[in-house]
Amino acid sequence: MKRREAREKAVQTLFQLDGTTLPVEEAISYITDGPIDSFYEKLVIGTRENREAIDEVLTEKLENWSLDRLPKIERTVLRLAVYELLYNEDVPHKVAVNEAIELSKTFGDEKSGRFVNGVLSKFEQQRM
């Protein structure tokens, strides 16, 4: 499985898990057939396990928005991207940001990509 596909499946899985008590393993089984890709599994489990810290950091970056007010797909893509930015050192920041923008365009509407880019650009500004 290519990393782009793993990210797409991770977004689908995390979207399904948002607001439910569904076990991660069960959600994964609904999205994948056969052997589970290790990168995909790392994204899903890592984002889920670090969700509180991710949400805290995200909340600091959102202007005039709360996480609860965000459309579910943007919230899911942002959580995945922040997981990659903060916890996945083998992925360059630019790649994580670009992938998040593409995912939001794929799963969201025409404004999703710009919104996600605006939020994630604050992480890049902070690093400089």
Side-chain angles (χ1 to χ4, degrees), residues 6-105:
R7 286 184 181 95
E8 288 176 358
K9 288 187 181 299
V11 166
Q12 293 170 332
T13 306
L14 292 165
F15 185 89
Q16 185 178 19
L17 288 167
D18 192 13
T20 69
T21 58
L22 187 69
V24 172
E25 297 77 18
E26 188 174 340
I28 287 173
S29 73
Y30 291 136
I31 301 297
T32 61
D33 299 342
I36 297 170
D37 180 79
S38 62
F39 183 68
Y40 158 73
E41 187 176 39
K42 178 180 178 178
L43 292 175
V44 172
I45 292 172
T47 303
R48 184 71 173 199
E49 287 178 351
N50 295 289
R51 189 171 140 191
E52 280 186 36
I54 290 168
D55 285 357
E56 190 175 308
V57 171
L58 259 177
T59 300
E60 293 171 8
K61 304 293 184 208
L62 294 173
E63 292 179 17
N64 304 318
W65 285 90
S66 67
L67 271 177
D68 294 337
R69 281 189 53 218
L70 288 181
K72 190 173 175 181
I73 192 62
E74 280 90 346
R75 184 171 59 234
T76 303
V77 169
L78 284 168
R79 282 176 173 156
L80 176 64
V82 171
Y83 167 74
E84 286 202 84
L85 290 171
L86 298 180
Y87 299 100
N88 196 353
E89 294 182 11
D90 66 324
V91 175
H93 279 232
K94 282 190 176 207
V95 171
V97 171
N98 288 337
E99 287 290 322
I101 294 166
E102 291 305 314
L103 288 167
S104 62
K105 289 178 185 177

